[in-house]
Amino acid sequence: MTTGKGSKLLRYVEHRIRVTLTDSRVIVGTFLAFDKHLNLVLVDTEEFRALRNKNDKSAVVEERQEKRSLGFIILRGENVVSIAVEGPPPPEKRARLAPGGPGLAKGSGRGVMPSQPLQSSGQAPMGLGAAPVHGVGGPGPQMMGGGMAPPPGMGRGMPPPPRY
């Protein structure tokens, strides 16, 4: 059974790779993803370019390498000439994450019980204010009571009042 290029590349996700481009630039970065066109997503990327200086008086060609830090990039697959593995993935993924900031994270949504019991005094929970939010919930408790009737001429099935 033969394996496609995609399954071979999957082995090297999160590895440090060296990519040579058609214009002879070399890109070194951590490999995150690819697609069917061989477009590559790299992070912590550096670009290396060979610069050549020619002196008119001598036949000596001076070559030096210029390094540039790029960060997060997407390489077009059309420009990729070769890919080589530089090193294994980092030993611990958590080490790359930034330290947490101030505050406290709490889950919310389905299946999460509120941390404070609901207030039964009829007040809105802290932070929501007393005013209703358009499109959320229904009418207030005073509107739901049977004591309020619609204004005269505004019952169900009646046409709107005439416009002047």
Side-chain angles (χ1 to χ4, degrees):
M1 181 175 123
T2 61
T3 57
K5 287 182 180 141
S7 62
K8 289 179 184 176
L9 274 178
L10 275 174
R11 288 187 230 160
Y12 303 112
V13 169
E14 293 186 1
H15 281 65
R16 197 86 178 141
I17 64 168
R18 175 180 298 268
V19 182
T20 306
L21 304 179
T22 53
D23 61 357
S24 74
R25 284 182 296 168
V26 175
I27 306 288
V28 177
T30 304
F31 180 43
L32 291 186
F34 66 97
D35 64 5
K36 66 181 180 179
H37 304 292
L38 201 67
N39 295 325
L40 304 176
V41 179
L42 303 175
V43 70
D44 300 331
T45 309
E46 295 173 330
E47 172 195 48
F48 297 93
R49 277 186 354 185
L51 299 174
R52 295 184 178 101
N53 291 335
K54 282 188 181 179
N55 286 341
D56 294 332
K57 297 179 181 177
S58 66
V60 177
V61 176
E62 187 182 321
E63 187 174 307
R64 66 182 180 93
Q65 203 169 42
E66 186 179 272
K67 176 183 167 185
R68 187 167 65 154
S69 187
L70 300 177
F72 183 88
I73 65 166
I74 299 174
L75 280 175
R76 187 174 170 91
E78 188 177 86
N79 299 326
V80 174
V81 173
S82 69
I83 301 173
V85 178
E86 283 255 310
E92 188 172 324
K93 201 173 184 181
R94 293 265 179 209
R96 290 177 40 125
L97 297 177
L104 177 65
K106 290 185 181 180
S108 63
R110 291 186 181 177
V112 177
M113 297 299 292
S115 59
Q116 296 176 350
L118 294 175
Q119 298 172 349
S120 60
S121 63
Q123 294 179 344
M126 187 188 323
L128 290 181
V133 178
H134 179 70
V136 177
Q142 50 287 38
M143 293 290 288
M144 294 303 289
M148 293 194 71
M154 297 298 263
R156 287 193 170 185
M158 295 185 70
R163 291 185 134 167
Y164 299 104

